[in-house]
Amino acid sequence: MTVKALYDYEFPSADRAEVFGDDQLVYVHWRGNPLFCSAACFRVPKNMPFAEFVTSMLHGWAASDPDFDPASVTDWRLFDEQLSGGQDKSLADLGIGHKALLSFAA
Amino acid sequence: MSVPTKKAASKPARKLPLKERYALLTRDLDWEPGYVDREQLFPHTRYEGIKIHDWDGWQDPFRLTVDAYYKYQVEKDKRLYAVLDGFAQSQGHLSLSDASYLNAIKLFIQGVTPLEYAAHRHFAYLARHLEGPAPRFAALCQSVDELRHCQTQIHTISNYNKYYGGFHSWSKMHDRVWYLSVPKSLFDDAMTAGPFEFLISISFSFEYLLTNLLFVPFMSGASFNGDMPTMSFGFSAQSDESRHMTLGLEAIKFLLEQDEGNVPIIQDWIDKWFWRAYRMSALVAGMMDYMLPKPVMSWREAFELYFEEQMLGGLFPDLEYYGIQPPRHVNDAIAEKDHLSHQVYKILHNFSFAAAFTTKTPDEAHMAWLAEQYPDSFDQVYRPVWEKHRKIEADGGRVFFQGLPQLCQVCQVPMAFTEPGNSAQISFRRSTFRDETFHTCSDGCQWIFEREPEKYVQAWLPVHQIYRGNCGGPTVPDVLAWYGIQEGDNGEYTGSPDQLAWAAWHSDGDDKAV
């Protein structure tokens, strides 16, 4: 179904990928940790290596929980699938696109 | 014999019966257009697909006229302003249950008062664009009511602005701050729909289906916590609200009776707007269960009474006659009634560093009350998390979410809700539109998104806007400054300026602060 309107209803999406240039938005959910109400949202370069993303972005946020141990981060998933590929690869190379949802356990 | 002309002229005019006065002052002022056709005069009443065969079929149950309307409102205003003056002159704010109570009122003036103004604007539009004189006049009265509510709320609450944080920039905040995008975007959604959808969204779903859940908690909360002005405002608005509820019910019955083809369109709007308004009421749920020092009733109890009993038990069996079913996704709302308030207050507690109110971890007595109200969920799911917070705070810490949350594309609430029936699993829904991914928090919001994706892809999501650089800058202080949030408005209640001032005003032998 489309929007009923008196004119051609055609508008761009507010947060489409091109708006963010070489960056993109990525969401990260810490499974099973109810101290955080929801997943977090990050703006990151598409070419950032995954390992760098984890240390430079994720660790600071996850440390909101004083029990967070960076060494315990495991079982990464991209949406519902196991994340496969090396951590030295970039987000783009791992198939992590704009507004992708990652999750981990710790 | 002379004719006593003078005497006859000074004789008061015959007082007309109410029904006749109403007819002369409303329907009799209508006319058939002569030099344009009706479609040109009323260009917005056809494109939504609703068919109206007889606009005179609209019954106005109140038969209100302009002069009577203003007379009533002046009387009510006089009574309200007398209470406001008395409360201000006697330093009434000192007799509140606790300064933390005002967090609920901050949420009210930031979140609800601007909606009154938005409603005023849009009912004025309906007063121009609906085709029948009776619904136009009803919309005009409601437009004036909403403006009056906005003004009286500002006057009622402004007294607290002299003494407490968070009350100063509510209008700017409503347009900018992340949690206020929840009510703002709901009204923007309704105002950008056609006139009939607006009637179903605001007059029916908002003012009729959920009004008791949305407004009564604030007004009863005021009464329980010593806030006479807000309570008096509530009384002053009550007769207007009952008129608005009647308008909502009259609107839906009128539309359903006009044409059988209207029924599926209306059902669709009920399905959409129940869920939209219900999702916004989640903020009220968090307020009821966590922000009132003297709680009135739990969200669960209010939901059962005002929604399950009164609406599902009372209203919908009546609407079945027209072929209308209870809202789609209503069972999801019922399934989460033990969880909603806890999950929402968790969001506010995580993010109050970026809010114009403060939050605190519930103390032992409050948790005992919550456990009593929520025997199937609180001790099992939520108490252990609050206890972890308390432990961290005992060690001098305070957990805030050091980042930005993922938001639902439709309701704009952070994606904190769990799957119906599984409180350990966050509910993630994903849709793809024009090769772009969109996230929603529930089956209800996903259904709404997929019904009109062209509309919701335009959503002004506060988190994404911050990342796009549209909110004052990249750091938290930049964004807070752009929001209009001042130091001390936000964060943890314990140790906040409000809490410290309250303690000083109430300490024994110390009268200098008052």
Side-chain angles (χ1 to χ4, degrees), chain B residues 59-242:
Chain B
Q59 299 297 324
D60 183 349
F62 288 98
R63 303 244 164 86
L64 200 59
T65 55
V66 169
D67 53 342
Y69 173 78
Y70 277 95
K71 200 175 137 210
Y72 294 142
Q73 303 300 356
V74 166
E75 286 301 316
K76 287 195 294 183
D77 269 11
K78 276 187 194 157
R79 285 198 293 274
L80 173 65
Y81 284 89
V83 172
L84 299 190
D85 283 347
F87 191 81
Q89 283 161 15
S90 65
Q91 298 289 333
H93 74 95
L94 293 172
S95 56
L96 293 171
S97 58
D98 185 53
S100 67
Y101 156 76
L102 289 170
N103 283 315
I105 299 305
K106 293 171 192 179
L107 197 57
F108 188 86
I109 195 164
Q110 297 158 10
V112 180
T113 301
L115 299 187
E116 305 273 13
Y117 189 74
H120 149 68
R121 285 175 57 202
H122 210 72
F123 277 102
Y125 156 84
L126 293 187
R128 158 66 182 84
H129 278 280
L130 292 178
E131 281 190 50
R136 273 209 304 276
F137 186 69
L140 180 66
C141 285
Q142 183 157 353
S143 175
V144 181
D145 286 339
E146 304 290 4
L147 183 60
R148 178 177 162 269
H149 292 179
C150 179
Q151 288 177 338
T152 49
Q153 284 165 20
I154 295 166
H155 290 147
T156 300
I157 296 171
S158 69
N159 180 47
Y160 294 124
N161 185 41
K162 296 179 194 161
Y163 308 103
Y164 302 91
F167 285 110
H168 48 84
S169 305
W170 49 272
S171 179
K172 180 197 223 172
M173 289 169 182
H174 188 76
D175 289 336
R176 298 184 174 193
V177 180
W178 60 277
Y179 58 96
L180 298 171
S181 81
V182 175
K184 181 186 166 70
S185 62
L186 179 137
F187 249 77
D188 285 352
D189 191 352
M191 291 171 80
T192 49
F196 295 116
E197 186 176 345
F198 184 84
L199 277 175
I200 298 302
S201 67
I202 302 303
S203 287
F204 180 70
S205 300
F206 193 76
E207 299 262 12
Y208 194 92
L209 266 192
L210 292 167
T211 194
N212 283 337
L213 267 179
L214 288 163
F215 291 100
V216 174
F218 279 110
M219 300 313 151
S220 321
S223 152
F224 269 53
N225 289 277
D227 183 0
M228 283 291 290
T230 303
M231 191 186 77
S232 304
F233 156 73
F235 281 133
S236 158
Q238 208 167 37
S239 56
D240 303 334
E241 295 300 346
S242 64

Side-chain angles (χ1 to χ4, degrees), chain B residues 187-496:
Chain B
F187 249 77
D188 285 352
D189 191 352
M191 291 171 80
T192 49
F196 295 116
E197 186 176 345
F198 184 84
L199 277 175
I200 298 302
S201 67
I202 302 303
S203 287
F204 180 70
S205 300
F206 193 76
E207 299 262 12
Y208 194 92
L209 266 192
L210 292 167
T211 194
N212 283 337
L213 267 179
L214 288 163
F215 291 100
V216 174
F218 279 110
M219 300 313 151
S220 321
S223 152
F224 269 53
N225 289 277
D227 183 0
M228 283 291 290
T230 303
M231 191 186 77
S232 304
F233 156 73
F235 281 133
S236 158
Q238 208 167 37
S239 56
D240 303 334
E241 295 300 346
S242 64
R243 194 154 28 78
H244 302 169
M245 285 181 81
T246 310
L247 175 66
L249 198 59
E250 178 58 29
I252 193 168
K253 289 191 170 165
F254 171 73
L255 297 177
L256 290 168
E257 281 166 2
Q258 283 294 316
D259 196 288
E260 220 172 298
N262 293 346
V263 176
I265 303 175
I266 305 272
Q267 178 74 55
D268 234 36
W269 288 338
I270 292 176
D271 292 347
K272 168 181 171 183
W273 285 99
F274 159 72
W275 191 261
R276 291 288 274 124
Y278 164 73
R279 263 291 175 253
M280 187 180 81
S281 73
L283 287 169
V284 181
M287 182 283 287
M288 282 180 83
D289 283 349
Y290 283 90
M291 287 178 153
L292 297 177
K294 289 186 183 164
V296 180
M297 59 162 71
S298 67
W299 164 260
R300 177 202 161 101
E301 195 183 343
F303 184 83
E304 286 173 350
L305 173 65
Y306 295 127
F307 188 73
E308 288 186 77
E309 267 181 47
Q310 292 182 358
M311 295 303 151
L312 292 181
L315 170 70
F316 278 96
D318 284 351
L319 291 177
E320 207 179 329
Y321 164 79
Y322 299 99
I324 291 293
Q325 303 297 313
R328 196 187 289 250
H329 305 116
V330 71
N331 287 329
D332 290 344
I334 295 170
E336 68 183 19
K337 67 186 172 188
D338 283 322
H339 300 278
L340 187 73
S341 65
H342 311 291
Q343 295 173 355
V344 170
Y345 193 72
K346 180 84 217 182
I347 301 170
L348 303 180
H349 191 270
N350 263 185
F351 284 102
S352 64
F353 67 92
F357 55 77
T358 57
T359 55
K360 59 180 177 179
T361 303
D363 61 19
E364 201 46 62
H366 191 158
M367 288 205 284
W369 181 80
L370 288 166
E372 201 179 290
Q373 300 298 318
Y374 292 95
D376 298 329
S377 64
F378 187 76
D379 282 344
Q380 299 82 334
V381 184
Y382 302 103
R383 181 190 284 274
V385 189
W386 290 126
E387 281 176 349
K388 181 165 177 176
H389 281 282
R390 292 184 70 187
K391 189 177 160 293
I392 293 166
E393 288 162 25
D395 294 341
R398 169 62 158 93
V399 174
F400 287 118
F401 193 111
Q402 305 289 332
L404 301 175
Q406 180 186 25
L407 302 180
C408 172
Q409 188 76 27
V410 171
C411 70
Q412 307 203 3
V413 178
M415 301 255 300
F417 302 111
T418 53
E419 292 288 352
N422 182 1
S423 61
Q425 174 63 51
I426 298 274
S427 156
F428 292 104
R429 295 291 179 275
R430 175 165 48 126
S431 307
T432 304
F433 180 67
R434 298 193 298 224
D435 294 326
E436 186 178 340
T437 305
F438 294 92
H439 300 266
T440 42
C441 70
S442 52
D443 287 345
C445 282
Q446 184 178 39
W447 181 81
I448 292 167
F449 177 84
E450 293 186 347
R451 207 178 144 264
E452 293 174 308
E454 305 90 337
K455 188 167 195 181
Y456 297 99
V457 297
Q458 303 167 67
W460 195 92
L461 293 180
V463 168
H464 296 177
Q465 291 295 326
I466 289 171
Y467 281 134
R468 287 176 57 181
N470 295 337
C471 304
T475 69
V476 172
D478 291 339
V479 174
L480 294 189
W482 187 78
Y483 279 176
I485 292 174
Q486 298 169 4
E487 182 73 29
D489 290 342
N490 55 341
E492 163 64 37
Y493 175 70
T494 310
S496 67

Side-chain angles (χ1 to χ4, degrees), chain A residues 7-99:
Chain A
Y7 49 88
D8 287 339
Y9 195 93
E10 186 68 42
F11 299 98
S13 153
D15 303 317
R16 59 200 183 279
E18 70 187 54
V19 171
F20 294 89
D22 293 334
D23 292 350
Q24 62 182 15
L25 298 178
V26 174
Y27 307 107
V28 183
H29 170 48
W30 182 342
R31 293 192 306 276
N33 187 345
L35 208 61
F36 296 90
C37 64
S38 68
C41 178
F42 299 96
R43 177 177 175 149
V44 283
K46 293 172 196 168
N47 293 325
M48 182 182 266
F50 186 79
E52 188 188 335
F53 167 68
V54 171
T55 50
S56 69
M57 301 271 182
L58 179 89
H59 285 177
W61 165 70
S64 309
D65 182 347
D67 294 339
F68 173 64
D69 172 9
S72 69
V73 172
T74 179
D75 193 16
W76 278 101
R77 292 182 203 165
L78 172 58
F79 292 107
D80 305 321
E81 308 291 324
Q82 214 67 39
L83 185 69
S84 49
Q87 297 234 342
D88 52 336
K89 285 190 180 163
S90 71
L91 299 177
D93 288 342
L94 288 170
I96 300 166
H98 182 51
K99 296 204 257 172

